[in-house]
Amino acid sequence: MDAKSRNYLLMNRQALEKDIKTSYIMDRMISDEVLTLQEEEKVKQQNTQKERAAMLINIILTKDNNSYRSFYNALLHEGYRDLAALLQDGIPAISSGNGKSSMDGITSYVKTILCEGGVPQRPVVFVTRPKLVDAIKQKLCCLGSDPGWVTVYGMAGCGKTVLTAEALRDHQLLEDYFPGGVHWVSVGKQDKAGLLIKLQNLCSRLENDSTLSQRPPLNIEEAKDRLRLLMLRKYPRSLLILDDIWDSWVLKAFDNQCQVLITSRDRSVTDAVAGNKYEVHVESGLAHEKGLEILSLFVNMKISELPEQANCLVRECKGSPLVISLIGALLRDFPSRWEYYLKQLQNKQFKRIRKSSSYDYEALDEAMSISVEQLNDNYKDYYKDLSILPKDVKVPTKVLCILWDMETEEVEDILQEFVNKSLLFCDRNGKSFHYYLHDLQLDFLTEKNRNQLQELHKNIVNQYKKYYKLNTPVPSQEDCMYWYNFLAYHMAGANMQKELHDLMFSLDWIKAKTELVGPAHLIHEYVEYSSILDQKNGTVRENFQEFLSLNGHLLGRQPFPDIIQLGLCQPETSEVYQQAKLRAQRETGAFYLEWINKKSLKNLYRLVVRPHRDAVYHACFSKDRRRIASCGADKTLQVFKAESGERLVEISAHDDEILCCAFSADGEFVATCSADKKVKIWNSRTGQRRCVYEEHSEQVNCCQFSNRSGQYLLATCSNDTFIKLWDLNKKYCRNTMMGHVNSVNHCRFSPNDEYVASCSTDGTVKLWEARSANEVKSIDIKDFFKNADDQPDDVEVLVKCCSWSRNGDMILVVAKNKLLLFDVKTCDLLTQVIVSHHSTIQYCDFCPGDELVAVALSHCSVELWNIKSLSKVAYCRGHMSWVHCVAFSPDGSLFLTSSDDQTIRIWETKKVCKSSDAVLKSELDVVFHNDEVMILAIYNQKHLQLINGNTDSVNMQTAAQESPISCCCLSEDLKFAAFGQESGTIKVLQLLDGKVLKSQEAYRTSVQHCRFTSDCQTLISSAHDSVIQVWNWQLSKCVFLRGHKEAIKDFRLLENSKLLSWSFDGTVKVWNITTGSTEKDCACHGGAVLSCAVSPDGSKFSSTSADKTAKIWSFESSSVLHELKGHEACVRCCTFSPNNKLLATGDDKGEIRIWDILTGALLHFCSPVTVDEGEPAHGGWVTDLSFSPDSKMLVSSGGYLKWWNVTTGESLQTFYTNGTNLKSIHVSPNFKVYVTVDNLGILYVLQKL
């Protein structure tokens, strides 16, 4: 054995001896022929488990490299992944010629790769078909290192899966062509929710122990992106195997420029995807000789010794490997029954009464029936129980232990009996076995036991309830994922309405399931089982479905949000709210908040239409805004009235999903393009087809007409990398634009029709001259995605779509989570916005007014952004699933959104922008007065409102001011209010009637802060300059505090007519406001001073700065007591605890630190787990902090609100606002009421429950 390998064994010996059970490991090593039976006996003679492990390691140390590899593989196979990981770096290198470790010539390298990749094991009796296996290997070699597809196709049950797995048992093939490994996925017939689960499982398997590990992808698009990332970064040169593909649309989720082998009944299934394609046809029946060989292996005889009935039996089996195996297994147990089984097959007495199977295999039915009849009665019942297993799912042993109420060993013995009889298949997965039926066998069982299926489903549900009682499975249990994915399926199959109701409407279940797989599958189940759930009342299901849809973006987060707190934000009539309230009241010691001024957040859409029976991929307005055309997964084109949703035209337009549609400029025609590679033109009023274009060789992703009326020019783009221009008056393509090296996702004419812009998966946006089809410009979007080291990100950037500004000077481009705006002439980046850290952008559209951009996000919502101010102006919720498209009407007054939830929603742009519920500015003042919460807020920029926070009523509103209001304040006695304006004017008004009492033109720049003194007679203010004004407004006298060299950041009043101010010049000053003189002047920091706080006893103050430090000062000596270092970003805010012992500081990285005032020592570090790659911990800066009166709790504002336990530094609760960027938090003296405003202008008055 290599010295390195020996060292690894010796180094990790202790851990190995402590944990391993030797018996299974030795079985594997014996089958690998590296351990003898005598050595096994020697190990078994030891008394304790630890001694046996020690003896085994001693023996291995005396052997060669093969035994090290065999031991490593055995650990892996038996589920000791953590121990195998310790030995991984010690695995000796394999040269292609060596490493043989068993009779069949499979090296331990191959075994490891196939085990880790989930490749099925060989059947009990296996006969190779070398010609076909070699053909599959040859086609895999043809792929070379280029992306592409190998399709192994043939009838059901012809052995495609077994042959494919066999082709992979080749050391040379794996080492030379797929050193990144192989990844096997059993797909089967799936809907979108099922496919998403398969993708999530594959991603989590590939992310295993990876730094990339994050929440599960929320939809298929996101999963596709995640998978692409993993295959490129972590598993380059690996092979993806998709077993049993039924539909071509499924393949699109895996169309990621990687190497894929698929098995399918349908030869044409890869037509929908791009790349090199190779095929291997598997004949429907085994050759006669091969059939005899299988029988001979089962009965342990030479072919020449088989009785004459063997030939007839093979003929009756129609060459099906599955059927021959079933008969062979019977003959092994009853070697004298050749004649009997032949007659049974010939008599066809077990013929099914009716065929519901997708396959029509009489021989299989006969063989299955005979095999099942031969089981003893107990075993027949156990086998019948398998009729309700979901298709294409490998079921862990534990599920069947619960179903049959037995120990693992007993269950494995029963199931092994079925495996031996070829009635079931088994896969080893770590320490446990997983079992599954072939589709044909499951079809047979469900048909045979059709009348008992409901009872069988009921039985498994009852056994689950008995085992788990009121608990839910935890992720560490091997059966956990099975129940989360299929418990509702079993309850629906059993028609257990109450149980399904209790499960699907339980916040515990929703929390547990969404934490594991995100919300998409649950939303699908609400739709799938709506007929059962709605029997009493459909509103409850709608409440829960809406709750999941609207909070989907939060439910995918790490750390997982408190579902009860989210529920408390629902409208009070919602069942979700009522459940959450009950739960919150029951939980003692927990911290929950009621949003007391929430109106049932208004639905802002003007119209919802459901014209399609499946996902709506695209929709658009006609030029006159009166009609909308839409298309989608149901292969139809619909045209309906924009005002009412009344259907005008419905056309079954294509043979595959329609991906895009577009009106001509005069509204006469509608173009459609599809995954069937065709482009079609239709009369938009009669629905008659005008022409079909078939020159693209892959799916066509987008189509768009030119903008000028009467000129029928159409641009289309496709996965074949080309953009084509068509003149409707001609039969053929007018121009082809070549230059992209990957799929082209989107294309758009410039407003004057001179150019066409195209976006591609190759990471570029190209501009083409429409007349000549010449490439004019190319922008590499990848350059704008840098990693932490400012290097270009090494993963391809998929450019989704683009949109022109009205004058054609600018173009907006979407990639990943960014909006990028470019100057068309210079290709310079003008501006960029990171829209979300939690989801990718699916689509965008520029509003014809050029300032607004609508963005569809992968978590079911749509946002409107102002591209000039780079701010989010509205957030549109309502879709129940992910949104594919967003488009403005030609005049920008409306926009529409289309979604996977089969709906199109039409929104009024103005109403949506306004309704950021009554847009309030984030500058507000709050007075807590005898249990009342009075809020002074700036409404729609030019009005001042006095709001009663308890009732959400407006007590007073001023007339519109001539200049926008920039700040405001209330007097403590609630008699007066003051406000500053952007023009520099300050006004004082009477709250009783809103009458302005005094006005002063105080500054040349915008007023930043104003505050009354406690006697309400003086108003102190500061602006964007270095002077503070002290204005006795009743006597009209003014004192100026001059001394700062740069703009004032803020100030606060102290006792005895003193004032503390701090500035961007790095100084803090104490003033006498009566005389205007400076009493203390501290040069505190090298950078701007961002905040100051005063200790409760008045002896100290703290300062925080852009220089990343905070300091504690003595008022008396003006000297630094402690310099607090450790923050990694600007320290934005600070506050002292009421007990005078602690100081809390918050920074721009989202981190909060708690310090001991006396010693300056850091006591706690409050930082939630970083949510996702690139997102600051607090969802942004920490902007404000406040302690509870007992100094035991702390509340902070930033991207959202958080409450902390000061003693432990742990987070107690998080409140997610609709918008973000909360500038401050106002807290009542008893720490029970909290007031803030988000960047959408929504006011939150929260009360502790």
Side-chain angles (χ1 to χ4, degrees):
M1 186 184 294
D2 290 355
K4 183 182 173 192
S5 305
R6 278 181 67 79
N7 287 342
Y8 268 89
L9 264 178
L10 293 166
M11 209 160 58
N12 297 297
R13 181 174 191 144
Q14 242 178 332
L16 291 163
E17 288 176 3
K18 196 171 91 186
D19 278 354
I20 60 173
K21 290 180 181 155
T22 50
S23 56
Y24 283 134
I25 287 175
M26 290 196 295
D27 286 349
R28 289 210 167 265
M29 293 180 74
I30 289 166
S31 75
D32 284 349
E33 297 180 353
V34 297
L35 198 70
T36 65
L37 292 169
Q38 290 83 345
E39 287 165 335
E40 180 188 33
E41 205 46 52
K42 202 169 169 185
V43 172
K44 282 181 174 173
Q45 281 163 6
Q46 307 307 308
N47 297 323
T48 65
Q49 178 187 320
K50 194 172 178 182
E51 285 169 357
R52 288 192 284 278
M55 176 57 75
L56 177 61
I57 290 165
N58 284 338
I59 293 169
I60 295 168
L61 284 165
T62 65
K63 293 178 172 286
D64 61 5
N65 287 342
N66 278 344
S67 50
Y68 186 95
R69 281 190 211 100
S70 173
F71 181 52
Y72 169 78
N73 282 323
L75 290 172
L76 207 61
H77 280 269
E78 296 304 332
Y80 297 107
R81 279 178 180 266
D82 44 348
L83 294 176
L86 297 175
L87 300 184
Q88 191 167 5
D89 292 340
I91 299 174
I94 301 174
S95 63
S96 299
N98 69 10
K100 294 277 165 73
S101 58
S102 59
M103 304 276 283
D104 55 19
I106 297 175
T107 62
S108 45
Y109 167 76
V110 170
K111 285 189 173 176
T112 307
I113 294 287
L114 300 193
C115 175
E116 287 175 343
V119 177
Q121 289 157 329
R122 279 178 175 161
V124 178
V125 166
F126 170 71
V127 170
T128 184
R129 294 147 83 181
K131 253 190 183 165
L132 282 166
V133 171
D134 287 347
I136 295 171
K137 286 185 195 174
Q138 188 205 337
K139 299 298 183 195
L140 286 171
C141 295
C142 288
L143 285 175
S145 54
D146 296 329
W149 308 79
V150 174
T151 307
V152 179
Y153 70 96
M155 294 270 293
C158 66
K160 302 182 291 292
T161 301
V162 173
L163 290 166
T164 299
E166 196 52 32
L168 300 174
R169 293 187 177 94
D170 181 313
H171 187 115
Q172 200 76 52
L173 177 78
L174 296 182
E175 194 173 62
D176 293 352
Y177 291 92
F178 309 111
V182 298
H183 314 289
W184 187 289
V185 186
S186 302
V187 182
K189 189 131 181 76
Q190 295 296 347
D191 54 21
K192 283 188 175 167
L195 178 62
L196 180 59
I197 287 176
K198 297 278 180 192
L199 283 161
Q200 286 173 336
N201 291 344
L202 176 61
C203 288
S204 82
R205 197 167 92 197
L206 297 179
E207 283 169 346
N208 194 20
D209 311 322
S210 155
T211 50
L212 292 168
S213 186
Q214 46 191 314
R215 59 151 173 80
L218 298 178
N219 62 42
I220 291 172
E221 273 294 307
E222 215 176 286
K224 182 179 175 177
D225 275 0
R226 179 91 54 91
L227 189 57
R228 192 177 89 255
L229 200 83
L230 284 162
M231 296 302 269
L232 274 165
R233 283 188 176 174
K234 203 177 169 206
Y235 300 98
R237 295 193 66 202
S238 63
L239 177 68
L240 188 59
I241 301 107
L242 307 175
D243 188 25
D244 195 21
I245 293 288
W246 283 61
D247 301 295
S248 57
W249 66 266
V250 169
L251 286 188
K252 291 175 196 167
F254 300 94
D255 190 1
N256 266 332
Q257 296 291 299
C258 54
Q259 299 180 310
V260 189
L261 182 150
I262 66 164
T263 71
S264 179
R265 298 159 301 118
D266 179 0
R267 178 182 184 176
S268 64
V269 81
T270 54
D271 287 356
V273 291
N276 299 327
K277 292 165 192 169
Y278 304 94
E279 293 177 350
V280 178
H281 180 218
V282 179
E283 295 295 337
S284 56
L286 279 177
H288 193 79
E289 279 302 305
K290 286 287 170 194
L292 290 175
E293 193 181 334
I294 291 179
L295 283 181
S296 72
L297 287 167
F298 267 108
V299 296
N300 205 10
M301 296 163 75
K302 290 181 181 165
I303 293 181
S304 55
E305 295 168 0
L306 292 173
E308 59 193 70
Q309 292 95 332
N311 284 307
C312 304
L313 268 171
V314 170
R315 274 195 293 276
E316 284 297 330
C317 290
K318 307 279 195 307
S320 161
L322 193 55
V323 180
I324 296 171
S325 299
L326 286 164
I327 297 295
L330 290 165
L331 287 164
R332 182 176 51 201
D333 294 344
F334 305 103
S336 58
R337 294 191 178 176
W338 290 85
E339 187 64 37
Y340 172 70
Y341 290 138
L342 177 58
K343 275 193 183 143
Q344 295 277 50
L345 274 178
Q346 287 168 337
N347 289 345
K348 310 236 183 294
Q349 68 185 66
F350 292 101
K351 205 169 185 179
R352 269 190 263 166
I353 298 128
R354 100 189 149 79
K355 298 269 182 183
S356 71
S357 162
S358 25
Y359 312 107
D360 195 6
Y361 261 57
E362 282 180 3
L364 178 87
D365 301 345
E366 304 306 322
M368 284 288 293
S369 300
I370 300 166
S371 301
V372 173
E373 286 306 310
Q374 295 296 343
L375 296 171
N376 73 38
D377 288 349
N378 276 353
Y379 277 52
K380 271 185 199 160
D381 286 340
Y382 294 136
Y383 197 62
K384 187 205 293 178
D385 287 339
L386 306 184
S387 313
I388 50 158
L389 295 185
K391 266 191 181 175
D392 303 297
V393 173
K394 294 180 179 175
V395 181
T397 316
K398 176 85 183 288
V399 172
L400 297 160
C401 292
I402 291 169
L403 173 60
W404 294 332
D405 201 3
M406 289 181 187
E407 292 299 317
T408 306
E409 290 74 14
E410 292 178 87
V411 170
E412 284 177 354
D413 288 347
I414 293 169
L415 296 173
Q416 191 54 46
E417 184 69 18
F418 298 150
V419 172
N420 292 341
K421 288 185 163 35
S422 299
L423 286 167
L424 188 67
F425 295 90
C426 167
D427 256 3
R428 192 69 189 252
N429 189 332
K431 287 177 188 166
S432 69
F433 294 102
H434 282 59
Y435 297 92
Y436 59 101
L437 289 158
H438 192 288
D439 282 1
L440 298 175
Q441 294 173 314
L442 199 51
D443 279 345
F444 168 83
L445 273 179
T446 44
E447 190 60 49
K448 183 173 192 292
N449 303 307
R450 182 159 294 284
N451 298 333
Q452 293 160 276
L453 292 179
Q454 193 167 324
E455 274 311 305
L456 295 172
H457 278 295
K458 199 178 223 168
N459 183 36
I460 194 169
V461 174
N462 287 335
Q463 289 299 102
Y464 166 87
K465 283 163 67 183
K466 179 180 162 189
Y467 182 85
Y468 279 108
K469 299 189 173 68
L470 295 171
N471 305 315
T472 48
V474 294
S476 56
Q477 294 164 317
E478 57 165 314
D479 59 325
C480 159
M481 288 308 288
Y482 181 86
W483 298 118
Y484 283 120
N485 287 332
F486 300 110
L487 184 57
Y489 153 79
H490 287 305
M491 286 176 173
N495 200 21
M496 297 170 87
Q497 192 201 341
K498 183 186 181 305
E499 285 81 354
L500 187 63
H501 199 280
D502 291 349
L503 181 80
M504 298 289 287
F505 302 151
S506 145
L507 286 175
D508 285 334
W509 181 258
I510 291 171
K511 176 184 190 309
K513 178 157 178 165
T514 46
E515 269 187 46
L516 281 172
V517 296
H521 190 246
L522 252 173
I523 293 172
H524 167 78
E525 286 180 325
Y526 284 123
V527 177
E528 182 88 347
Y529 308 132
S530 57
S531 57
I532 303 174
L533 294 168
D534 292 353
Q535 276 171 23
K536 278 187 186 166
N537 177 2
T539 323
V540 177
R541 175 187 57 81
E542 284 168 12
N543 289 166
F544 275 89
Q545 199 174 324
E546 188 167 301
F547 169 62
L548 274 178
S549 308
L550 300 187
N551 292 289
H553 59 302
L554 297 175
L555 294 171
R557 284 192 175 189
Q558 300 292 338
F560 197 79
D562 186 320
I563 202 148
I564 298 174
Q565 183 58 64
L566 289 182
L568 287 168
C569 295
Q570 294 302 292
E572 293 183 13
T573 50
S574 161
E575 178 69 23
V576 181
Y577 169 82
Q578 286 157 19
Q579 250 195 62
K581 181 106 183 218
L582 271 174
R583 288 278 302 279
Q585 286 163 343
R586 259 189 250 135
E587 287 195 29
T588 47
F591 187 92
Y592 288 111
L593 299 141
E594 182 87 270
W595 181 5
I596 58 176
N597 71 318
K598 68 163 179 245
K599 315 168 190 67
S600 50
L601 275 172
K602 294 195 290 279
N603 287 331
L604 299 173
Y605 32 85
R606 164 166 144 174
L607 178 69
V608 182
V609 278
R610 193 186 292 269
H612 294 272
R613 294 176 297 282
D614 206 335
V616 190
Y617 290 146
H618 196 84
C620 58
F621 286 96
S622 60
K623 236 340 182 326
D624 61 8
R625 212 191 77 172
R626 290 182 180 171
R627 292 176 297 156
I628 289 171
S630 64
C631 60
D634 65 0
K635 309 173 193 172
T636 68
L637 167 69
Q638 309 279 349
V639 180
F640 55 90
K641 288 184 181 173
E643 193 57 47
S644 62
E646 179 193 334
R647 183 174 288 155
L648 301 169
V649 175
E650 178 177 16
I651 309 165
S652 291
H654 286 265
D655 302 328
D656 205 336
E657 300 183 325
I658 307 177
L659 305 175
C660 187
C661 58
F663 273 107
S664 60
D666 60 6
E668 282 303 301
F669 300 107
V670 178
T672 55
C673 61
S674 161
D676 67 7
K677 311 176 193 171
K678 295 174 188 167
V679 178
K680 299 186 182 184
I681 313 295
W682 311 86
N683 183 307
S684 70
R685 300 182 195 282
T686 65
Q688 277 183 309
R689 193 178 75 198
R690 166 158 175 170
C691 51
V692 183
Y693 298 125
E694 300 189 50
E695 289 184 35
H696 281 295
S697 59
E698 301 286 351
Q699 78 172 29
V700 189
N701 294 315
C702 180
C703 56
Q704 200 218 359
F705 276 103
S706 55
N707 298 299
R708 253 175 271 161
S709 268
Q711 179 192 3
Y712 298 122
L713 203 58
L714 180 77
T716 60
C717 61
S718 158
N719 281 3
D720 62 11
T721 74
F722 303 136
I723 302 106
K724 288 180 180 285
L725 286 186
W726 315 83
D727 185 332
L728 261 59
N729 301 315
K730 296 184 181 155
K731 279 187 180 175
Y732 304 105
C733 165
R734 186 178 112 170
N735 287 99
T736 299
M737 300 167 180
M738 294 177 274
H740 284 296
V741 293
N742 210 324
S743 308
V744 188
N745 302 314
H746 196 248
C747 57
R748 276 272 181 273
F749 276 99
S750 62
N752 62 6
D753 293 335
E754 275 184 33
Y755 301 106
V756 174
S758 60
C759 305
S760 165
T761 304
D762 64 13
T764 64
V765 173
K766 291 183 187 289
L767 303 185
W768 315 79
E769 199 174 60
R771 188 173 297 166
S772 65
N774 290 335
E775 184 181 321
V776 185
K777 292 187 164 69
S778 182
I779 306 170
D780 199 337
I781 302 298
K782 192 176 184 175
D783 296 345
F784 303 96
F785 287 85
K786 299 278 174 69
N787 60 20
D789 309 321
D790 212 34
Q791 296 299 310
D793 213 328
D794 62 340
V795 68
E796 59 179 306
V797 173
L798 197 147
V799 188
K800 288 269 177 74
C801 76
C802 60
S803 186
W804 292 84
S805 62
R806 184 168 47 180
N807 59 7
D809 288 351
M810 299 178 290
I811 189 162
L812 185 73
V813 178
V814 160
K816 290 189 178 179
N817 59 352
K818 277 188 187 177
L819 287 174
L820 304 130
L821 186 66
F822 292 95
D823 181 300
V824 171
K825 278 194 184 125
T826 63
C827 292
D828 290 344
L829 178 68
L830 300 173
T831 186
Q832 60 175 323
V833 188
I834 295 179
V835 171
S836 165
H837 286 287
H838 300 292
S839 61
T840 49
I841 304 174
Q842 308 287 66
Y843 206 83
C844 77
D845 198 26
F846 231 138
C847 181
D850 276 2
E851 284 194 15
L852 278 189
V853 175
V855 176
L857 293 165
S858 60
H859 62 50
C860 317
S861 71
V862 172
E863 295 178 354
L864 295 188
W865 283 73
N866 183 315
I867 201 74
K868 287 191 178 161
S869 66
L870 304 186
S871 60
K872 178 160 61 170
V873 290
Y875 180 61
C876 311
R877 314 189 304 170
H879 278 296
M880 300 294 189
S881 190
W882 51 89
V883 182
H884 290 289
C885 164
V886 55
F888 281 100
S889 60
D891 62 359
S893 63
L894 303 174
F895 64 96
L896 60 77
T897 53
S898 73
S899 162
D900 232 74
D901 65 8
Q902 305 176 13
T903 68
I904 296 165
R905 285 164 200 255
I906 293 114
W907 316 70
E908 285 178 57
T909 312
K910 262 191 188 152
K911 185 176 167 188
V912 167
C913 291
K914 244 189 190 161
S915 90
S916 302
D917 262 284
V919 182
L920 303 181
K921 282 188 73 167
S922 51
E923 289 73 23
L924 49 86
D925 197 17
V926 182
V927 170
F928 298 97
H929 182 74
N930 304 337
D931 289 341
E932 269 201 331
V933 184
M934 299 310 292
I935 301 156
L936 188 68
I938 301 163
Y939 169 69
N940 276 349
Q941 302 218 330
K942 292 194 173 180
H943 299 269
L944 209 56
Q945 279 188 347
L946 182 67
I947 301 165
N948 182 321
N950 306 61
T951 60
D952 201 29
S953 54
V954 176
N955 291 7
M956 183 278 299
Q957 179 171 318
T958 64
Q961 302 299 309
E962 63 287 350
S963 161
I965 302 172
S966 50
C967 63
C968 62
C969 66
L970 279 167
S971 65
E972 284 175 28
D973 59 9
L974 291 176
K975 286 183 180 173
F976 307 107
F979 60 90
Q981 293 175 260
E982 287 183 11
S983 60
T985 304
I986 301 173
K987 294 181 183 178
V988 177
L989 54 85
Q990 197 163 272
L991 279 178
L992 194 64
D993 53 10
K995 183 182 167 192
V996 174
L997 300 174
K998 281 281 168 78
S999 173
Q1000 185 195 18
E1001 288 180 19
Y1003 298 95
R1004 291 207 183 106
T1005 57
S1006 175
V1007 185
Q1008 292 302 295
H1009 301 286
C1010 59
R1011 276 186 203 101
F1012 283 104
T1013 53
S1014 53
D1015 62 5
C1016 309
Q1017 291 185 13
T1018 304
L1019 186 72
I1020 302 172
S1021 61
S1022 67
H1024 265 313
D1025 63 19
S1026 59
V1027 179
I1028 297 169
Q1029 291 197 19
V1030 181
W1031 176 37
N1032 185 320
W1033 59 274
Q1034 290 185 333
L1035 302 176
S1036 298
K1037 284 185 179 172
C1038 213
V1039 175
F1040 297 94
L1041 310 181
R1042 291 190 169 92
H1044 283 295
K1045 301 216 168 33
E1046 289 183 43
I1048 311 290
K1049 179 72 178 78
D1050 205 349
F1051 57 81
R1052 71 173 280 170
L1053 281 153
L1054 305 174
E1055 290 174 352
N1056 309 323
S1057 303
K1058 302 279 193 293
L1059 181 99
L1060 184 77
S1061 68
W1062 53 97
S1063 157
F1064 286 95
D1065 63 11
T1067 68
V1068 174
K1069 299 184 191 292
V1070 178
W1071 309 83
N1072 182 317
I1073 59 172
T1074 316
T1075 63
S1077 60
T1078 311
E1079 300 203 344
K1080 291 190 190 304
D1081 190 352
C1082 307
C1084 293
H1085 293 273
V1089 181
L1090 300 178
S1091 73
C1092 283
V1094 177
S1095 64
D1097 63 3
S1099 66
K1100 304 176 189 70
F1101 72 91
S1102 59
S1103 62
T1104 72
S1105 167
D1107 67 9
K1108 304 181 186 177
T1109 67
K1111 293 179 183 178
I1112 300 174
W1113 301 78
S1114 159
F1115 261 122
E1116 202 177 328
S1117 63
S1118 302
S1119 59
V1120 180
L1121 300 174
H1122 302 290
E1123 184 171 5
L1124 312 174
K1125 292 182 172 174
H1127 282 287
E1128 292 171 16
C1130 295
V1131 190
R1132 183 121 336 239
C1133 56
C1134 59
T1135 185
F1136 284 95
S1137 64
N1139 67 5
N1140 223 19
K1141 291 180 178 174
L1142 309 170
L1143 177 76
T1145 55
D1147 68 22
D1148 286 2
K1149 206 179 161 193
E1151 292 171 356
I1152 296 162
R1153 290 165 192 251
I1154 297 173
W1155 313 82
D1156 184 314
I1157 294 176
L1158 207 59
T1159 63
L1162 177 65
L1163 299 175
H1164 289 297
F1165 176 69
C1166 307
S1167 170
V1169 184
T1170 300
V1171 177
D1172 264 332
E1173 223 182 327
E1175 161 127 37
H1178 204 300
W1181 301 350
V1182 181
T1183 54
D1184 202 0
L1185 294 161
S1186 183
F1187 277 100
S1188 61
D1190 62 4
S1191 306
K1192 289 182 179 173
M1193 283 170 73
L1194 180 73
V1195 61
S1196 59
S1197 63
Y1200 29 83
L1201 296 176
K1202 280 191 92 69
W1203 285 258
W1204 307 88
N1205 179 325
V1206 172
T1207 327
T1208 62
E1210 286 171 6
S1211 166
L1212 296 170
Q1213 187 54 271
T1214 304
F1215 185 92
Y1216 292 102
T1217 47
N1218 286 333
T1220 57
N1221 302 357
L1222 314 172
K1223 281 197 183 168
S1224 63
I1225 172 95
H1226 297 263
V1227 184
S1228 64
N1230 63 4
F1231 206 67
K1232 286 189 175 169
V1233 181
Y1234 313 86
V1235 181
T1236 190
V1237 168
D1238 67 16
N1239 63 343
L1240 297 180
I1242 298 173
L1243 175 70
Y1244 299 85
V1245 181
L1246 308 177
Q1247 189 163 21
K1248 183 177 182 288
L1249 262 184

